Amino acid sequence: MSAAEETIKDIIVKIVHCDRKILTPESTFQDMKADSLDMVQVLVALEDEFGIEIPDEEAQKFKNFGDFVSFVEARVAEKK
Amino acid sequence: MLKGKVALVTGSSRGIGRAIALRLAREGADVIVNYFRRREAAEQTARDIEELGVKASVIRANVGDPEKLDEMFDTVAASFGRLDIFVSNAASGLPRSALDLDAKVWGWTMDINARAFLLGAQRAAGLMEGRGGKIVAITSLGSKLVWPGYTAIGVSKATLEALVRYLAVELAPKDICVNAVGASFVPTEVGLSYAGGAGEEDEGAFWKTTPAGRMVSPEDVAGVVAFLCGSESFMIRGQTIIVDGGFSLTPLNLKGKGGEN
């Protein structure tokens, strides 16, 4: 489990108020009981935290927690 | 008409904000395009502004976040040293009935639609000090009419319109004119999403009950904003100008029937 993944979990738990234990690569936004406002806030928090940009067009393709983590990790790797 | 003026339009990557930004640019103003989520669209708006022969710059900020809002005005101050026109257009909200409206959605909507205008006007007034200026807030008929699911936005717009009156009086001695422009349903990407995404059917419903015989366009709204940013509207203060083709005057579809139906 990467450091990025732990940070992403921290952010989602803080904003969505879901149980940290349910956050597996397969867990969906329905599992997290996240609405569209939660999602925007999570995206913005991730952008600020990692200094990356997550365009809405890309975010709309995310199906589960794992998609979030891979996208963020890829963008962070590109920055280095 | 606005040659040499510096204008900031929040939420101007698309829709009504984009139309306002382009209209002010056409009048000769240099325009700062603010966006939150649509960078590509914002950059396109900026390119279209530059093609009109004026300067454009792009600043990303969630205006609902006071820190980001402050940073945006800091950037404006650093880049331009002043501001002549502030158009508070950025808005957000989720469809919720009053009974389903929770604190989170209420806070989000009020922060972006109402508080951002207050804090933005305070900063804008500072950058207009000694020269005067124009502040225009974009509102909607939902501040007075009741539309399904529009609760938080409608209430935030009522707050906005009240703020416009208070600011108009407080800023009048500084030669800063503060007004609002409110439209009925405008078929932008956001407008259509609120109409349930149904598109033509809902547009048709609005069209039929609009005495002027067509939908209000973003350019209709932008034209009135440009007027309020010009010198001829100097004595209009604290008003909400409704741009709806007469829609709000005719709650029943009696257009042209003479009461015979």
Side-chain angles (χ1 to χ4, degrees), chain A residues 46-66:
Chain A
L46 292 175
E47 288 178 333
D48 288 348
E49 176 67 32
F50 292 99
I52 57 170
E53 192 173 344
I54 311 174
D56 275 357
E57 303 79 47
E58 294 293 332
Q60 279 158 11
K61 295 180 202 156
F62 298 168
K63 289 187 181 62
N64 52 39
F65 177 71

Side-chain angles (χ1 to χ4, degrees), chain B residues 117-235:
Chain B
F117 174 62
L118 173 67
L119 302 179
Q122 291 169 349
R123 290 296 310 268
L127 291 170
M128 293 171 181
E129 192 71 48
R131 290 169 296 101
K134 312 285 183 181
I135 295 177
V136 181
I138 303 305
T139 180
S140 105
L141 276 179
S143 66
K144 293 186 184 68
L145 305 182
V146 173
W147 291 329
Y150 205 73
T151 321
I153 306 175
V155 173
S156 71
K157 294 299 192 183
T159 305
L160 185 69
E161 290 170 24
L163 264 172
V164 161
R165 291 187 283 273
Y166 278 89
L167 284 166
V169 171
E170 268 192 55
L171 295 177
K174 296 177 186 288
D175 281 346
I176 297 172
C177 305
V178 187
N179 290 290
V181 177
S184 54
F185 176 72
V186 181
T188 59
E189 186 186 335
V190 172
L192 287 170
S193 73
Y194 268 89
E200 282 177 22
E201 200 178 304
D202 289 80
E203 274 188 58
F206 271 89
W207 181 85
K208 283 179 201 147
T209 51
T210 299
R214 67 165 174 82
M215 302 288 293
V216 175
S217 70
E219 289 72 26
D220 290 324
V221 179
V224 177
V225 172
F227 169 69
L228 290 173
C229 292
S231 56
E232 288 184 76
S233 57
F234 186 72
M235 292 304 278

